[in-house]
Amino acid sequence: YFGGDSAAKVIEATGQVSVLRDSRPWALNVGDAVRVQQVIVTGADGYAVFRVSDGSTFEVYPNSKVTFRNTPGNLKDLLDLWMGRVKVVIQKWGGQPNHNRVRTPTAVIAVRGTVFDVVLEDELDTTLVSVEEGQVAVEHALLPRGEPKLVSAGEYIRVYRNQPLAKRQIDKDSIIKRALQALADAIYSAPTGGGPRVPSGAGGGAPVPGGGGPTLPGDTETEPPPPPPPPPPPPGGN
């Protein structure tokens, strides 16, 4: 049975995906329903996609634990993530905002219609929120919240258990940039027989690693040239 706002239907499942009933795991298969306040658990190979009545979906990734609609009667509270990672796709109602919330031990993420990921990191003390489409409002779940931080498409924010939210924590495209930079670093540091390679334009004046070679223009660590030899002593005489 799947009807109303009281259940989420399994539309895709692979590996170990279960729902807890009286603290015991029961396997979930495509077509099964998860009801309000039930806990979904995935194993190391488990992955599932769930759809609710308005067409919104959420994906639960391996090694995750999540409660569906943990607050009875409040349809805004969609998920409570206790471990692992989820991806949420919130559909709009006739172009109008569709208010939903996802909670973690450290963050409250409010959405109206968007696509975003939520990951618990560092022994569950840190929440990573990454937005693919739309915009979410993120608040701290433990510390004084103040104004929520708006995170837009292409941005992400990390919420730390013991740190209040700061605007500087919102970053844009840095995950991709850091991955590309790491790849570039690996390429440029490949051994070539004469020390690591240095890309043209890199360093802006740093010496070439490996020693024995010329320094780049503007090097500030070059040793000064040796002083000229002293003049010969004056000739002796009376």
Side-chain angles (χ1 to χ4, degrees), residues 97-120:
N98 182 2
H99 297 275
N100 282 267
R101 280 196 296 257
V102 175
R103 297 177 181 269
T104 76
T106 57
V108 180
I109 304 107
V111 300
R112 298 183 178 183
T114 187
V115 180
F116 64 101
D117 277 86
V118 182
V119 183
L120 282 175

Side-chain angles (χ1 to χ4, degrees), residues 26 65-66 71 77 95 107 114 117 133 165 185 200-201 223 226:
W26 292 75
K65 182 179 180 181
V66 59
T71 309
D77 287 340
T114 187
D117 277 86
E133 296 179 13
L165 290 179
D185 291 344
S200 60
E223 294 184 3

Side-chain angles (χ1 to χ4, degrees), residues 23-144:
S23 300
R24 297 178 57 189
W26 292 75
L28 284 173
N29 300 296
V30 172
D32 289 346
V34 174
R35 303 192 181 282
V36 169
Q37 291 189 301
Q38 287 192 317
V39 178
I40 303 163
V41 179
T42 56
D45 63 345
Y47 167 83
V49 183
F50 299 82
R51 185 175 62 227
V52 297
S53 59
D54 66 1
S56 298
T57 61
F58 60 91
E59 304 172 44
V60 183
Y61 287 81
N63 294 321
S64 296
K65 182 179 180 181
V66 59
T67 303
F68 174 66
R69 298 206 188 282
N70 199 28
T71 309
N74 187 348
L75 297 181
K76 291 182 180 181
D77 287 340
L78 178 64
L79 301 173
D80 281 51
L81 178 64
W82 306 108
M83 181 174 68
R85 173 191 173 195
V86 295
K87 181 174 183 177
V88 181
V89 180
I90 300 296
Q91 300 292 340
K92 292 184 178 181
W93 291 337
Q96 298 300 312
N98 182 2
H99 297 275
N100 282 267
R101 280 196 296 257
V102 175
R103 297 177 181 269
T104 76
T106 57
V108 180
I109 304 107
V111 300
R112 298 183 178 183
T114 187
V115 180
F116 64 101
D117 277 86
V118 182
V119 183
L120 282 175
E121 304 176 315
D122 300 333
E123 298 181 353
L124 314 185
D125 280 346
T126 305
T127 300
L128 171 65
V129 182
S130 177
V131 180
E132 185 176 323
E133 296 179 13
Q135 188 178 69
V136 303
V138 179
E139 296 178 286
H140 206 292
L142 303 173
L143 302 178

